[in-house]
């Protein structure tokens, strides 16, 4: 059959599949509309909610797939099957598959078949589509005569877009093995720049949501990224694969009510990220459980009682011995203090006339004093001053804003380290503070007991329901009075009327500090500190985690120096390491220069192997300091006229209107067709040195230029891979 005839056949087949998709989408939309129009009782509302949620999921699934339904085909000796973003089935003929979901086991050969191991295939076909129209196809025959990488190279050479695209049509065998990896516990996916580790992690989420739908649909997935720009960049990948039960966040946004994007100094990052901060926080909480420096006078109707160190110390010991968290122990402290003051008050009142044998009279006096104390404003203020109910924000703001409190809580730290933690505005939150705020909850507990809140709310609902029922009595036809309470009791009615939370799972999870996720994916995992991992392990107690990173790119002084060090304290041996070694993004011309920088920064590190060349060697241009901005603007205007995306990476912010300018840290995880790197010597001389320069050099997929005002760093200069003025 000629190629034109085969192309016509493919067009008919894909058009048929889109027709089935349209029919499924219309049916799903109609079912959703019917569910939304249903009139329900409190008893059947949950059924309607389930129908609505399922209908919305079906409609979303169909809408997503419409943008790129089918992308490939696999042919066996006597069978063929098309591969797509979702599965479609022939409901009229025994649920026969019409289109295989890329995650289905039967679709695996599309990604893994090779000439040496064809896995039953004789041909693999890659389809090119424009909208719904098949425009071309490329076949691979498993007889060793075809280039298996042509479809991949075409995708790698295509211009980049402002948002990451899914790689569902070009997943490679080493990537597919990790996507489908069946391992409990932590999976560490390590890979250098351009190895596709982020894309693999995202597709692994989609795969797990497909294979573990029932479990993960209840708890959702948390995807943690290094910065908001990165999350925006990857944010369309999972929706394009039909998955929405995912919360995207940075480490600075994991504590409800706090949004931090400012980084501490390297020294402060190191201190705050260390596990020793657990003891610091414990000491900071203990420091707020005070005794008075001078007696506090508690005035009662018959006597004034001095609340002194002795009384407060006894109450404090009682509260600490209770084992309750700090905020809950406020009540224990107050009760112990009340009894101590009451005993002392009765002693003062009865001085000279109350005898030991007057037990009943003493009991009456104690009861009166305790009652008076329970409503005494001076006493309440004293309790809240000596043992305050604290939010994590107040605890840390007071700690970091006071050198005295830092000395009390950080006695194990040097004076220099304590000074690194001090700041005039204690509540000027940084990214490193978020894990500490989260840890503080483990010592403080909620401001009000959650159980007490729920019980109070339940009582209020029940009381209201009882009033409603009392108003619903009626007389039957025999003249006897029937009571609504005989049919349904107040507690049951209250439960039926309990408000349901209809927000999407991702929205509910993001707003709840105590939400626990079914799965956690962490990008740039090498940057996370010991305290960060403590916070994340609380978010995912099942320890089902995919950690993506590259130790060679570690910027943070508090980050991981080894994966074993990061994970064994939490999961012991329940972690698996996989490595991607092929660089699909960075052309060899650029990677040669980046590899020289990596070798100088870390001689033991090995860069990934680039599989392609762009034909554009990196270039450099030296300018006078006064002309730096003008030169960058000129180059930016020229590059912007080329197809694809462009960015300037600079150690400091630059004003280039209309163009993307990023620091190396902000550029992590991103990629552009063309990059101009400004002032690399300032990056190399900075606190994160070689790692940041390595990151900056590996963001380009096609062209890299360097503009500098001083001598280039030696590894770049000596690599021999830069043309032009190498300064």
């Amino acid at each position: 059959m000629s190629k034109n005839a085969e192309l016509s056949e493919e067009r008919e087949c894909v058009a048929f599949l889109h027709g089935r998709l349209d029919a499924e989408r219309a049916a799903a939309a109609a079912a959703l509309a019917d569910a939304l129009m249903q009139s329900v009782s409190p008893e059947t509302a949950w059924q309607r909610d389930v129908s609505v949620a399922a209908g919305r999921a079906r409609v979303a699934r169909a809408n997503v797939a419409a943008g790129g339904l089918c992308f490939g085909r696999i042919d066996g000796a006597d069978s063929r099957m098309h591969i797509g973003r979702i599965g479609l089935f022939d409901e009229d003929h025994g649920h026969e598959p019409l289109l295989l979901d890329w995650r289905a086991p039967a679709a695996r050969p599309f990604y893994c078949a090779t000439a040496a191991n064809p896995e039953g295939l004789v041909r693999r076909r890659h389809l090119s589509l424009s909208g719904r129209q098949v425009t071309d196809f490329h076949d691979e025959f498993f007889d060793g005569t075809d280039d298996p990488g042509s479809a991949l190279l075409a995708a790698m050479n295509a211009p980049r877009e402002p948002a990451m695209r899914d790689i569902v049509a070009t997943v490679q065998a080493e990537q597919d093995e990790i996507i489908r990896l069946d391992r409990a516990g932590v999976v560490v996916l390590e890979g250098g720049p351009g190895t596709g580790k982020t894309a693999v992690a995202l597709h692994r989420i989609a795969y797990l949501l497909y294979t573990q739908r029932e479990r993960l649909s209840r708890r959702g997935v948390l995807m943690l990224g290094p910065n908001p720009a990165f999350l925006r960049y990857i944010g369309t990948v999972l929706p394009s694969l039909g998955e929405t039960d995912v919360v995207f966040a940075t480490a600075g946004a994991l504590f409800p009510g706090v949004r931090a994007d400012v980084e501490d100094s390297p020294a402060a990052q190191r201190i705050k990220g260390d596990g020793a901060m657990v003891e610091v926080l414990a000491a900071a909480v203990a420091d707020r459980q005070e005794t008075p420096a001078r007696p506090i006078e508690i005035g009662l109707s018959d006597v004034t009682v001095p609340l002194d160190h002795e009384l407060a110390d006894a109450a404090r010991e009682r509260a600490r011995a209770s084992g309750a968290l700090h905020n809950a122990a406020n009540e224990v402290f107050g009760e112990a203090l009340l009894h101590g003051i009451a005993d002392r008050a009765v002693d003062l009142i009865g001085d000279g006339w109350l005898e030991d044998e007057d037990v009943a009279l003493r009991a009456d006096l104690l009861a009166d004093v305790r009652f008076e104390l329970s409503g005494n404003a001076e006493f309440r203020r004293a309790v809240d001053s000596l043992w305050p109910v604290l939010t994590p924000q107040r605890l840390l703001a007071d700690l970091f804003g006071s050198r005295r409190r830092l000395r009390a809580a950080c006695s194990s730290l040097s004076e220099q380290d304590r000074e690194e933690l001090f700041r005039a505005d204690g509540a000027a939150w940084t990214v490193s503070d978020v894990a500490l705020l989260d840890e503080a909850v483990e010592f403080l507990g909620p401001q009000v007991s959650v159980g007490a809140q729920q019980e109070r709310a339940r009582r209020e609902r029940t009381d209201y329901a009882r009033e409603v029922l009392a108003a619903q009595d009626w007389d039957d036809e025999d003249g006897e009075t029937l009571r609504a309470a005989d049919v349904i009791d107040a507690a049951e009615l209250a439960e039926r009327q309990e408000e349901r939370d209809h927000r999407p799972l991702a929205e509910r999870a993001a707003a709840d500090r105590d939400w626990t996720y079914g799965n956690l994916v962490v990008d740039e995992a090498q940057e996370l500190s010991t305290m960060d991992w403590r916070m994340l392990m609380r978010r995912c107690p099942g320890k089902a985690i995919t950690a993506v990173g590259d130790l060679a790119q570690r910027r943070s002084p508090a980050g991981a120096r080894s994966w074993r060090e990061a994970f064994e304290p939490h999961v012991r041996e329940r972690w698996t390491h996989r490595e991607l070694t092929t660089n699909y993004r960075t052309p060899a011309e650029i990677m040669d220069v980046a590899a020289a920088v990596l070798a100088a920064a870390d001689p033991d590190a090995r860069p990934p192997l680039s599989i392609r060349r762009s034909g554009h060697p990196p270039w450099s241009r030296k300018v006078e300091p006064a002309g730096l901005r003008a030169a960058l603007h000129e180059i930016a205007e020229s590059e912007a006229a080329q197809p694809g995306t462009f960015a300037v990476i600079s150690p400091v912010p630059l004003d280039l209107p209309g163009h993307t300018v990023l620091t190396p840290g902000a550029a992590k995880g991103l990629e552009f067709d063309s990059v101009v790197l400004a002032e690399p010597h300032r990056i190399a001389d900075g606190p994160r040195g070689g790692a940041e320069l390595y990151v900056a050099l590996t963001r380009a997929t096609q062209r890299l230029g360097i503009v500098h005002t001083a001598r280039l760093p030696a590894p770049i200069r000596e690599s021999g891979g830069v043309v032009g003025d190498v300064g």
Side-chain angles (χ1 to χ4, degrees), residues 618-621 722-727:
W619 55 265
S620 72
R621 176 176 163 188
V722 179
V723 300
D725 172 18
V726 294

Side-chain angles (χ1 to χ4, degrees), residues 147-157 160 170-172 174-175 193-196 580-592 607-615 701:
D147 174 14
S150 57
L152 172 65
L153 290 175
M156 291 299 97
N157 286 319
R160 269 15 188 199
T170 58
V171 169
Q172 300 302 290
E174 69 167 353
Q175 298 173 326
T195 53
L580 294 172
T581 59
T582 303
N583 189 330
Y584 301 101
R585 176 182 69 213
T586 315
E589 296 96 328
I590 297 175
M591 201 63 211
D592 288 344
L609 178 65
S610 295
I611 63 170
R612 67 187 180 94
R613 304 187 73 85
S614 68
T701 66

Side-chain angles (χ1 to χ4, degrees), residues 270-288:
R270 171 183 57 79
I271 300 163
K272 291 181 180 180
D274 193 276
M277 286 301 295
V278 176
E279 297 304 319
V280 168
L281 291 172
V285 172
D287 183 51
R288 306 306 296 268

Side-chain angles (χ1 to χ4, degrees), residues 221-351:
V221 175
L222 173 62
M223 172 74 197
L224 195 74
N227 54 61
F230 172 82
L231 295 179
R232 289 192 296 271
Y233 179 61
I234 68 169
T236 61
V237 173
L238 285 169
S240 77
L241 298 172
E243 305 300 346
T244 57
D245 290 340
V246 180
V247 175
F248 292 87
T250 64
L254 282 183
F255 194 82
V258 173
R259 289 293 181 272
D261 55 13
V262 175
E263 289 190 349
D264 277 299
S265 68
Q269 285 185 46
R270 171 183 57 79
I271 300 163
K272 291 181 180 180
D274 193 276
M277 286 301 295
V278 176
E279 297 304 319
V280 168
L281 291 172
V285 172
D287 183 51
R288 306 306 296 268
Q289 300 164 357
E290 302 178 20
T291 58
R294 295 186 301 276
I296 300 171
E297 301 295 332
I298 306 297
L300 300 173
S301 56
D302 295 323
V303 69
T304 296
V305 182
L307 195 175
D308 57 17
H309 183 281
E310 180 184 355
L311 281 176
D313 190 59
R316 181 171 65 177
E317 292 308 309
R318 178 77 63 84
R320 288 176 173 174
S322 72
L325 296 179
H326 173 85
N327 286 339
N330 166 272
E331 185 175 341
V332 181
F333 176 77
E335 188 68 20
L337 201 56
L338 183 146
H339 284 286
I341 292 174
D343 283 338
R344 182 171 289 183
V346 170
D347 288 342
L348 291 172
I349 293 169
D351 185 31

Side-chain angles (χ1 to χ4, degrees), residues 647-666:
V648 173
I649 299 181
S650 167
V652 295
L654 293 172
D655 181 22
L656 294 177
H659 299 290
T660 299
V661 181
L662 300 167
T663 63

Side-chain angles (χ1 to χ4, degrees), residues 24 26 55 91 107 137 172 185 252 298 312 317 344 348 358 362 400 416 568 573 589 606 682:
E24 181 173 306
E91 305 293 349
F137 64 82
Q172 300 302 290
I298 306 297
E317 292 308 309
R344 182 171 289 183
L348 291 172
D358 297 330
R362 182 176 181 85
F400 293 147
Q416 182 179 350
E568 285 204 350
E573 297 297 327
E589 296 96 328
R606 293 291 177 266
R682 295 185 62 179

